[in-house]
Amino acid sequence: MAKPGAKRPHKMDLAVYEAEVSRLQADLVAFQEWVRATGQRVVVLFEGRDAAGKGSAIKRITEYLSPRVARIAALPAPTDRERSEWYLQRYIAHLPAGGEIVLFDRSWYNRAGVERVMGFCSDEQYTRFLEQAPVFERMLVDDGVILRKYWFSVSDVEQERRFRSRAKDPMRQWKLSPMDLESITRWEDYSEAKDRMMAATSTAWAPWHVVESEDKRRSRVNVMHHLLSSIPHEPMTPDVPPVPERPAPRGYERPPQEAQNYVPDHAATVLARAKSDAKDHSKGHAKGDRS
């Protein structure tokens, strides 16, 4: 984990980052086809501090993957019924079948993190989880499930910077909750919980992999590369069926457009406005030149 107040690394050059992400995404598509064709079951857990970059990494990984093969499991708070179940029960329902990849945006490790720190589980439930999680994961791996666990690490300074950035951004304010902000005042509590979780659940069959995430670009590239390189596979491409020639028309006449409800062409309005604004801007510059 990055140390509190760690110096932020130099951000990865955007052009280099985009080129590498594009290359890795192409490799992920080939990996996806291997998973589908061979019936593999892949589970990837994304854990870490709030605002550590888990969500954006998942977004880049799944951007070009088929939702029929790769799906994201981001479970809401448990219902009253789910609270009465065996803790791991509701997560089992989201595990993959053959030929599927499931990425957990937070997972059963909620119990070892937020539930422990915020007092949402008892000491007995917490201790039982730390004992059962390695056994549960051993069962998954023994049954042939490919399991990867990633912890996204971020410093206290960078986390707070991202929180303040979200608070000012109307497009991302929804990502900031009172629970998230508790991670600032309970920083050391979360550190202690994370360290104890790692000690109890990083096993030979399901080790934790820490992703340094002070620079989100670097972290995305690193986790994508590690996921691909850590799973032996044969990149595959799907069988692409030939596109047939369009047959000659048979004389069918379509109903008039007026008989159907079309979405208004808002794009045309936007384009006309942009053209008018550009024209006004050009006139303004010409007027300035003359003066």
Side-chain angles (χ1 to χ4, degrees):
M1 181 185 70
K3 295 180 180 179
K7 183 179 179 181
R8 191 181 185 194
H10 179 68
K11 182 176 287 189
M12 188 175 185
D13 178 77
L14 180 59
V16 175
Y17 160 75
E18 289 181 341
E20 182 62 9
V21 164
S22 180
R23 184 188 72 80
L24 290 167
Q25 287 176 328
D27 289 347
L28 282 164
V29 171
F31 171 73
Q32 167 193 254
E33 186 60 21
W34 171 78
V35 170
R36 188 199 63 77
T38 59
Q40 300 294 329
R41 292 168 291 163
V42 180
V43 174
V44 189
L45 310 187
F46 293 81
E47 295 286 347
R49 303 274 189 177
D50 293 309
K54 302 178 294 296
S56 61
I58 293 172
K59 183 176 180 180
R60 298 309 183 281
I61 289 171
T62 59
E63 188 170 5
Y64 294 103
L65 302 185
S66 167
R68 295 182 179 87
V69 176
R71 53 188 169 84
I72 301 169
L75 277 60
T79 63
D80 289 341
R81 183 182 187 280
E82 288 171 333
R83 289 190 184 93
S84 70
E85 297 173 346
W86 175 43
Y87 175 70
L88 292 165
Q89 187 171 330
R90 74 185 189 124
Y91 292 99
I92 290 173
H94 294 271
L95 292 174
E100 294 181 349
I101 304 167
V102 176
L103 302 95
F104 281 90
D105 187 352
R106 296 202 179 276
S107 65
W108 45 87
Y109 282 99
N110 271 341
R111 174 136 295 178
V114 65
E115 290 194 15
R116 171 63 173 176
V117 173
M118 300 302 295
F120 296 156
C121 67
S122 67
D123 290 346
E124 181 183 2
Q125 290 173 322
Y126 170 70
T127 301
R128 186 186 306 124
F129 170 78
L130 292 183
E131 294 171 348
Q132 290 185 350
V135 178
F136 172 62
E137 292 168 3
R138 183 60 183 262
M139 294 170 67
L140 294 179
V141 173
D142 285 350
D143 201 59
V145 173
I146 298 172
L147 176 62
R148 293 293 179 270
K149 304 190 304 190
Y150 293 107
W151 176 271
F152 282 67
S153 177
V154 67
S155 70
D156 55 350
V157 172
E158 179 61 18
Q159 183 193 56
E160 184 176 345
R161 188 195 68 80
R162 292 176 186 176
F163 281 160
R164 295 190 184 282
S165 176
R166 287 180 180 181
K168 297 175 183 177
D169 186 352
M171 304 295 284
R172 296 188 298 150
Q173 287 172 346
W174 64 270
K175 300 179 73 174
L176 199 60
S177 71
M179 190 75 70
D180 294 332
L181 298 179
E182 285 280 353
S183 62
I184 294 179
T185 57
R186 297 174 183 259
W187 179 269
E188 290 191 354
D189 294 335
Y190 272 104
S191 295
E192 182 181 357
K194 176 258 183 180
D195 291 339
R196 185 172 177 185
M197 177 195 77
M198 289 278 191
T201 64
S202 190
T203 59
W205 55 90
W208 279 102
H209 300 281
V210 178
V211 182
E212 289 289 356
S213 194
E214 289 294 285
D215 175 14
K216 286 186 178 183
R217 292 175 187 170
R218 292 171 185 257
S219 68
R220 293 166 194 157
V221 166
N222 290 340
V223 74
M224 293 165 75
H225 177 266
H226 184 272
L227 179 62
L228 288 165
S229 62
S230 70
I231 301 176
H233 65 282
E234 181 182 348
M236 302 177 71
T237 56
D239 294 328
V240 181
V243 180
E245 294 292 332
R246 189 179 302 278
R250 294 183 290 108
Y252 170 73
E253 292 187 9
R254 300 182 62 184
Q257 290 185 342
E258 294 76 13
Q260 299 177 8
N261 295 317
Y262 277 81
V263 173
D265 193 358
H266 176 65
T269 304
V270 173
L271 289 169
R273 185 189 307 134
K275 184 177 181 180
S276 175
D277 290 346
K279 186 176 181 180
D280 291 343
H281 183 71
S282 178
K283 286 182 178 178
H285 271 291
K287 183 178 181 180
D289 291 342
R290 287 194 299 271
S291 60

